[in-house]
Amino acid sequence: MAKTKSTTKPKTGKQKLAASAPSAPNIDIGITQGDRKKIADGLARFQADAFTLYLKTHNFHWNVTGSMFNSLHTMFETQYTEQWAALDDVAERIRALGFNAPGSYREFAALTSIVEEPGLTDSADWREMVRQLVVANEAVCRTAREVLDVADDADDAPTEDLMTQRLQTHEKYAWMLRSLLQ
């Protein structure tokens, strides 16, 4: 009888258990890489503004005092709760475009257009809180419009829709808050 050659290799501890998974295909959603980058950069600036506004609104919810306490405490809570949920939509859109969303205080501080103002920790007047929130909501609106223009140029309907929704919300917040000061 002839010896048959064994096809089993000796175990070395470094055997491949399975073939490696194929890499993810390139993003091909009908928007060029360059346009996706411009949109994602704009959305990152928008997210930084929106997060800064969220944090400011939450801070004022915690620290509001005075004759308008109950009304403003409730209003601020409603606004920051809605803003928090919207941040996730923006981050997910950035990811869908193929880029990482900003997510640290340092990144937000570098990207935001909202000027940091004092936290108003020494018995702040509610009117100053409301004024700051009007200014910050309007800043968010301006950034949303910039992103909307870039998305429109790239025919990016999902980003256009997202920015339109955010514009509607922040314009309404600015109007409601401004009305308290008139």
Side-chain angles (χ1 to χ4, degrees), residues 120-137:
L120 304 176
T121 55
D122 296 330
S123 65
D125 181 66
W126 66 265
R127 288 169 194 82
E128 177 58 14
M129 290 179 173
V130 169
R131 185 200 67 77
Q132 285 191 29
L133 292 178
V134 168
V135 170
N137 271 283

Side-chain angles (χ1 to χ4, degrees), residues 63-76:
N63 292 303
V64 67
T65 59
S67 61
M68 293 291 289
F69 169 80
N70 194 48
S71 297
L72 290 177
H73 186 75
T74 301
M75 178 188 237
F76 294 164

Side-chain angles (χ1 to χ4, degrees), residues 9 13 28 41 53 62 64 72 74 78 121 133 143 153 157:
K9 293 186 178 182
D28 184 13
D41 288 347
L53 172 60
W62 290 329
V64 67
L72 290 177
T74 301
T78 300
T121 55
L133 292 178
T143 303
D153 291 344

Side-chain angles (χ1 to χ4, degrees), residues 52-60 114-115 117 132-133 136:
T52 302
L53 172 60
Y54 157 78
L55 191 59
K56 185 179 287 268
T57 306
H58 209 147
N59 173 25
F60 292 166
I114 298 173
V115 176
E117 297 183 71
Q132 285 191 29
L133 292 178

Side-chain angles (χ1 to χ4, degrees), residues 22-28:
S23 63
N26 291 331
I27 296 172
D28 184 13

